[in-house]
Amino acid sequence: MTARKATLTVDGNPTTLELPVHAGTIGPDVIDVQSLVGKGYFTFDPGFMSTASCESKITYIDGDKGVLLHRGYPIEQLAEKSDYLEVCYLLLYGELPTATEKQHFVRTVMRHTMVHEQLQFFYRGFRRDAHPMAIMCGVVGALSAFYHDALNITDEAHREVAAFRLIAKMPTLAAMSYKYSIGMPFMYPDNSLDYASNFLHMMFGNPCETTKVNPVLAKAMDRIFLLHADHEQNASTSAVRLTGSTGANPFACIAAGIAALWGPAHGGANEAVLDMLEEIGDESRIPEFIARAKDKNDPFRLMGFGHRVYKNFDPRAKVMKQTCDEVLSELGLENDPLLRIAKALERIATEDEYFIQKKLYPNVDFYSGIILKAIGIPKQMYTVIFATGRTIGWIAHWHEMISASYKIGRPRQLYTGAPQRDFVGIDKRG
Ligand code: CMC
């Protein structure tokens, strides 16, 4: 960090305040406002539009240029040349693994895929029609009740084993939530398979038959996990960091991330995209929905469009689109009606003045739902799959925070309520 200064003069206050300015490796400079509280001021930034909540070395995004780097590596290169578990290693440890390190990491993760047998009874307490994200909020938080042996967050070895457990068990828990909803037996993981194939095996296999996982679909699944692996200080990652800053255990922190991800403005958008495409139903109705999205008096938004940070094409959406074509061609679904609507919608929206002016481009969720639908995954599972991929990002940020010095996250407010006043007895009110 450098020692440049910004000066701030507040009307009516004769003092000019000096604030340090820090430069990152790349990206905008950051004005350090930490000393303001001592001078009697807070900053006001609802939605954290202008606030850097922490210092981090994990992920960099340039929203105007459509750039996403993990530990410096562009997402397009990682999607093409790497795989999900290798990216997990990169996010967690900061460097790409050597062949031996990778083999060891993959073996260690795959050895943790099974969950405590008692957990299946926890599932049985849920209604069969429970949303799988509701189940995930519960079961992931409950892992802290099953793995007491490694909950000391000040012990690096405990943090590492919690990371392995979470990366490894999320697909198992996700597939169990699906199997439970359709009344099928839970499938044990098959550790001879790769991470994505194992997930598809637990989703679509059954104990009575041996199923073979289609490698094209497994590659697409791996890419979906990889493209969701991390995204800097988004709402769910910030929820994980905030929860972690209280000293909560990692399973509780990840449960907080899952809850934050669920909303339609964040990870719930992939399910909402499919709902929207189904509601549109036919290409001829697209103009009607575009008009609704532009109408200030209509709360409807084009799901899968727009992003808080990207004011350009989401680089993940470009890769997702390519994967979408590969999967649909493998399955002979190139003429899928929903895909036709999606492609027409993308073309019309990206040529429309409203979307151009507001820089609303398709985001990662626009295509992931179509791929998952083609693979045969029901839409209630889409956000669960996002959560599964994002778990490594949440853990990497949690680990980064706990490994350095940190304070409990405690924002302040601009209070605009009643000033102090005396209590009025009920007989004297009104
Ligand atoms: N359709 C129509 N208008 C939109 C849309 C949209 N999808 N997104 C933003 N706008 C308009 C919005 O009405 C506002 O207009 P005005 O300036 O006239 O008031 C302007 O664009 C800026 O929108 P905002 O809500 O202030 O922007 P934000 O940065 O707070 O919100 C967003 C970002 C992602 C919540 C929003 O674009 C949105 O709701 N998109 C649809 C949901 C979605 O696809 N979410 C997935 C995000 S990517 C996955 C992830 O990382 O979680």
Side-chain angles (χ1 to χ4, degrees):
M1 289 192 177
T2 61
R4 288 186 300 134
K5 301 257 180 251
T7 51
L8 175 69
T9 309
V10 183
D11 268 0
N13 182 340
T15 330
T16 294
L17 308 170
E18 286 213 324
L19 303 168
V21 178
H22 306 306
T25 327
I26 33 179
D29 290 344
V30 170
I31 300 173
D32 183 339
V33 295
Q34 290 182 85
S35 63
L36 284 185
V37 64
K39 309 274 190 316
Y41 294 106
F42 297 143
T43 53
F44 183 57
D45 186 21
F48 307 118
M49 301 283 290
S50 301
T51 296
S53 64
C54 61
E55 186 187 332
S56 180
K57 294 181 168 48
I58 301 174
T59 289
Y60 173 77
I61 302 174
D62 183 332
D64 291 324
K65 296 197 183 121
V67 170
L68 169 60
L69 311 177
H70 291 323
R71 303 286 190 183
Y73 297 104
I75 191 69
E76 296 86 347
Q77 291 183 24
L78 293 171
E80 194 197 325
K81 298 178 180 159
S82 185
D83 57 58
Y84 178 66
L85 283 185
E86 190 169 75
V87 170
C88 288
Y89 185 101
L90 174 70
L91 290 169
L92 200 55
Y93 298 112
E95 295 297 338
L96 287 167
T98 62
T100 317
E101 284 165 342
K102 181 171 177 182
Q103 196 188 27
H104 179 69
F105 181 74
V106 170
R107 202 182 307 128
T108 311
V109 168
M110 294 313 287
R111 278 220 187 107
H112 281 92
T113 52
M114 238 174 7
V115 294
H116 195 291
E117 199 66 5
Q118 196 71 10
L119 258 167
Q120 56 172 293
F121 300 111
F122 196 176
Y123 276 78
R124 298 206 164 115
F126 287 99
R127 285 169 55 137
R128 290 272 176 196
D129 62 355
H131 194 288
M133 280 299 276
I135 298 181
M136 293 301 280
C137 288
V139 294
V140 174
L143 290 181
S144 44
F146 287 89
Y147 301 105
H148 296 287
D149 58 322
L151 289 183
N152 178 4
I153 62 163
T154 60
D155 183 331
E156 188 160 1
H158 281 206
R159 291 205 298 276
E160 200 172 32
V161 76
F164 294 148
R165 282 180 171 149
L166 278 157
I167 302 165
K169 293 182 201 309
M170 281 295 282
T172 313
L173 297 172
M176 284 171 80
S177 70
Y178 171 59
K179 288 295 196 195
Y180 183 73
S181 74
I182 55 169
M184 294 248 309
F186 298 135
M187 288 294 286
Y188 284 112
D190 178 344
N191 294 349
S192 68
L193 298 174
D194 63 78
Y195 190 84
S197 300
N198 178 47
F199 174 64
L200 293 176
H201 150 77
M202 291 186 290
M203 282 289 291
F204 298 117
N206 74 68
C208 311
E209 287 168 17
T210 313
T211 42
K212 199 167 164 356
V213 176
N214 179 328
V216 176
L217 305 191
K219 185 176 160 228
M221 202 63 240
D222 190 82
R223 208 167 247 193
I224 288 177
F225 288 141
L226 187 154
L227 291 173
H228 286 96
D230 188 41
H231 214 226
E232 202 225 54
Q233 311 307 324
N234 55 83
S236 56
T237 303
S238 299
V240 170
R241 279 192 181 253
L242 195 59
T243 312
S245 78
T246 70
N249 75 67
F251 303 107
C253 295
I254 303 306
I258 293 173
L261 186 76
W262 194 357
H266 193 6
N270 49 18
E271 184 177 341
V273 168
L274 248 273
D275 285 338
M276 178 189 74
L277 294 176
E278 282 166 5
E279 199 191 341
I280 295 175
D282 190 86
E283 281 178 59
S284 63
R285 294 189 66 208
I286 291 177
E288 180 194 324
F289 282 82
I290 297 266
R292 283 186 60 197
K294 296 198 287 193
D295 182 356
K296 280 257 154 277
N297 300 315
D298 189 330
F300 174 77
R301 283 184 170 201
L302 273 197
M303 299 316 282
F305 275 78
H307 197 274
R308 166 59 63 82
V309 182
Y310 293 120
K311 301 302 170 197
N312 200 324
F313 223 98
D314 180 338
R316 301 168 300 171
K318 283 190 192 159
V319 182
M320 206 63 103
K321 188 175 178 180
Q322 185 199 329
T323 305
C324 187
D325 289 338
E326 282 166 22
V327 167
L328 294 175
S329 132
E330 168 71 14
L331 298 174
L333 293 172
E334 294 97 329
N335 287 321
D336 180 76
L338 283 193
L339 179 75
R340 284 221 312 274
I341 297 173
K343 285 198 161 155
L345 187 64
E346 184 206 319
R347 183 174 33 80
I348 295 169
T350 47
E351 286 166 3
D352 188 291
E353 200 41 47
Y354 172 93
F355 290 89
I356 295 170
Q357 206 199 339
K358 292 190 188 300
K359 300 184 177 171
L360 301 170
Y361 293 87
N363 58 49
V364 67
D365 286 331
F366 190 67
Y367 285 102
S368 60
I370 299 167
I371 304 174
L372 293 171
K373 179 174 184 284
I375 293 178
I377 295 175
K379 62 183 180 209
Q380 289 82 352
M381 286 296 292
Y382 296 177
T383 315
V384 173
I385 287 168
F386 190 154
T388 303
R390 181 57 56 87
T391 295
I392 179 57
W394 292 330
I395 299 167
H397 282 273
W398 171 78
H399 182 66
E400 179 179 65
M401 182 183 75
I402 304 284
S403 313
S405 75
Y406 65 98
K407 283 187 188 306
I408 183 170
R410 175 53 169 97
R412 301 304 300 264
Q413 61 176 4
L414 169 64
Y415 177 70
T416 52
Q420 182 170 335
R421 49 189 170 161
D422 288 327
F423 182 81
V424 180
I426 198 158
D427 53 325
K428 298 207 174 59
R429 292 178 214 159

